[in-house]
Amino acid sequence: MQVTPTNDNTLFLLNFIQQQASIGTWEYHVEEEALQWSDETKRIHELSLDYEPEIASGISFYKEGYSRETIKKLFADCLEHNKNFDEELEIVTAKGSEKWVRAIGMAVMEDGKCIKVQGLFQDIDEKTKNIKALAFKEEQLSKTFENAVVGMAILDLNGQWIEFNKSLCHIFGYKKEELQRISYLDITHPEDLKYDYQAMAKMMKGTKHNYEAEKRFIGKNGNAIWALLSMSIIRDDDGKPQHFVAQINDLTHMKIHRDEVNQLLETTENQNKRLLNFAHIVSHNLRSHYSNLDMLLDLVKIDYPDNTKNDIFPHIEEAVSHLGETVENLNEVASINIKNAIMLEPINLLGNLNKVIKGMSALILDSKTIVVKDIEQHLRVMAIPAYLDSILLNFLTNAIKYKKPGKPAHIHFHTEITEDHIILHISDQGLGIDLEKHGKKLFGMYKTFHNHKDSRGLGLFITKNQVEALGGKIEVTSQLGTGTTFSIYLKKHE
Amino acid sequence: MNKIDIACIIDDDPIFIFGAKRMMELANFCESFMIFKNGKEALNNLKSLIKTGENIPDVILLDINMPVMDGWEFLDEFIKIESQKPITIFIVSSSIDPTDQDKVKKYQNVSNFIVKPISIETLKSISAKVLNP
C-alpha cells in the first residue's frame, strides 16, 4: 500500500500530523530497490527535503555498533522472513547530533513474496533522554537512600515500612528480614509512642508539615536508643497524604558524650565552689587567726615588755607579720580569680602613673630613682583603677628593688599603640633576669630569682593575673646585667 | 564627755574579746563594756535595754561572721529598733573581702568598717569619732 494523496488537502493534513507527532513514514520497494522517506522522516534526520535516500545511506544514519547492527538484522529479517519490527535505536543525524528514534517496519506481501516494506519513523529523543535521566536520578536517589549514614525509612500512613535503608537496620541492630517483620511503631519506645501518633495525625490533617523529636527507640537487644527523628509527609498532586519519610540519627554516642561533658561541668562547678569556699576560708578564718596573733603580740609588748627582750620574740613577730602578708596575698589572688564580671573603665594612663609615682615619692627620692615617662597625655586604657595602680606600683617597686647595686634605678616608660591595645613598655637598667633559666616560672606563684631580702615572689604572679583580668597580657625581654623590659598590653579605650 | 561610757562588743571569738578588752583598758576607751557572743544574744539583750532606757551602749563593735545570727542579720533587725540615745556602730571584721566593705555602705547607721587586728590607735580614732561626731 502506497501513501497516495488523493488531493492536496489530504497531503497537507498528513504532513501536518506527521510534523506535530514527530512521526515520519518510509517505504522500500523491493523490486525497484527504491527507498522513499516522508518529509518528516527527513526532518528527523536533519536533512533537506530534496534528499533522496538509498537503503545503504539510510542504514548508515544509525549509530555505529548496536543500533546499526540491529537495524540491519531487523530489516533483513523483515525482507526475508516477513518479520515486522518495532525498536528504539539511536541515529546520528546529518548534522551530527545523536537522537533516539523509534523505527517500525512491516512487510507487505504479495503472492507469498515480500514486495514492499513500509514503516514509521518517530523522534523519541526527548522522551528517551528524559526517561534515562529520570532513571539515573532514581538510581542516584536510591543509592543515597540505601547508603546514607543516617537511618532512613519510608512509611505508609499506618506506620508500616514501605522501605528502609541499611543504616536504619544498623542503628537498631536488626537484620533486614527481621526488621521487615515488625513495624516502625514496634521499635518506638512505648513512652514516646503517643507523641509520634499525635504528630503523624497532625501531619495527615495538614496542621503540621514535619515533625522533629529527640526520642527513644528500642533496639533489638531491648535497650533504649536515643535518636533524633525528623519526619515529613509526602502528598500527591491533590494534596492527599501518600506516605511518611523519616530520618533517624543515632544520638547514643552524642548523648554519652554530652553526659560526660555535663558530668565534667558539674565536677568543675563543684570544684569552683570549693575554691570559692577556700578563698573565703583564706579570707576570713586564716586572717582572723592572724589578726588575733598580731593583737596578742601587741598586748605582750605593752603588758609584758620583759618577755619581748629575748632572741625568740622578734622571730615570732616576724613570722606573724609574714603570715599576715601571705594571707593578704592569697586573698588578693583568690579575689582576682573569682571576679566574674569585671567592669572596665577608661583611665588616663599618664595621669594614673603620675598618681602612683606620687604615692611612692618617698621611696623614689630615697633611692634617687630616675623615672622617664614617654607617654602621650591623652592615652586612655580600659582597666579597673585598683588593678592598674597595683600593676604600676609593682613594676616600679620591682625596678627599684632589683636595681644594680651602687647605682640608682633608671626606669623608662614608653608606649606603643596597636589596633586593640596600648602596650606599655617599662624598661629598667637593673640586674636583669636569666630568662632561659627562669623564663617559664617568671610569673609563677612564689618564685624569686634574686636573693633579695624583700623578694616575696608573689608580685609578678598577682600582676600577671590582674593584667589578664583586664584582658591584656605581659611580655618580657631581659638580659642579665643589662636590664629588663616588661611590655604590658592594655585594652585601648576607643 | 571625754570618755565613752559603755562599749558593746558582739563577737564569737574569745581571743578577740580578751584582746579587745585589754586594748580598751590600755587605751582608756570606756567606763564599762558589754559582751555578746552572737547577733541573736545581742539583739535580745539590747532590745530590752533600749526599752528600759538603762545601760544603753554608746558604741557597738560588731563582727560579721558569727554563728546563730551574723552581723548583717543583726544589723537588719537592729536598725528597726528606735533608741533615745544615739548608738554608733562599727563593723570590726577580719574580712578583707571588698564585697563586705561595699555592703556596709548600705547601712546608714554604720560609721565605719574596721579591719582586724585592732590596735590602741584604732580604738583612739573610734572614740574620737564617737565623742566628736
Side-chain angles (χ1 to χ4, degrees), chain A residues 157-204:
Chain A
L157 299 178
N158 299 314
Q160 302 293 320
W161 306 116
I162 296 174
E163 221 175 313
F164 53 77
N165 69 355
K166 275 187 274 189
S167 291
L168 194 85
C169 301
H170 182 75
I171 292 172
F172 300 114
Y174 285 106
K175 288 198 182 102
K176 202 172 176 181
E177 313 81 65
E178 293 170 333
L179 197 54
Q180 256 153 0
R181 267 179 254 131
I182 54 179
S183 84
Y184 166 81
L185 300 170
D186 291 324
I187 60 164
T188 287
H189 195 283
E191 285 170 38
D192 293 348
L193 204 53
K194 65 171 181 215
Y195 304 111
D196 281 10
Y197 273 135
Q198 284 166 359
M200 284 161 94
K202 276 184 187 166
M203 282 193 282
M204 291 207 298

Side-chain angles (χ1 to χ4, degrees), chain A residues 378-438:
Chain A
H378 69 275
L379 286 185
R380 292 208 287 177
V381 295
M382 295 303 291
I384 298 169
Y387 281 16
L388 188 60
D389 287 354
S390 153
I391 293 161
L392 294 172
L393 186 70
N394 208 331
F395 282 116
L396 274 163
T397 47
N398 268 353
I400 297 172
K401 216 185 278 177
Y402 304 119
K403 69 182 186 62
K404 280 184 196 136
K407 260 179 98 177
H410 184 285
I411 310 167
H412 181 212
F413 288 89
H414 72 280
T415 52
E416 185 185 324
I417 298 161
T418 69
E419 201 176 319
D420 303 316
H421 291 99
I422 289 174
I423 310 170
L424 178 64
H425 300 285
I426 306 172
S427 308
D428 62 43
Q429 298 173 3
L431 294 168
I433 307 159
D434 185 348
L435 287 177
E436 253 175 51
K437 220 164 151 187
H438 303 299

Side-chain angles (χ1 to χ4, degrees), chain A residues 284 287-288 291-292 294 303, chain B residues 13 22 65 94 96 116-117:
Chain A
H284 184 256
R287 230 200 144 265
S288 67
S291 64
N292 277 343
D294 192 69
D303 284 349
Chain B
D13 180 355
R22 184 73 191 114
N65 290 283
S94 51
I96 48 174
K116 290 177 185 174

Side-chain angles (χ1 to χ4, degrees), chain B residues 3 8 34 40 51 60 112 120 133:
Chain B
K3 193 174 175 184
C8 170
M34 173 183 300
K40 186 91 191 151
K51 219 180 229 171
I60 295 176
N112 218 336
I120 292 174

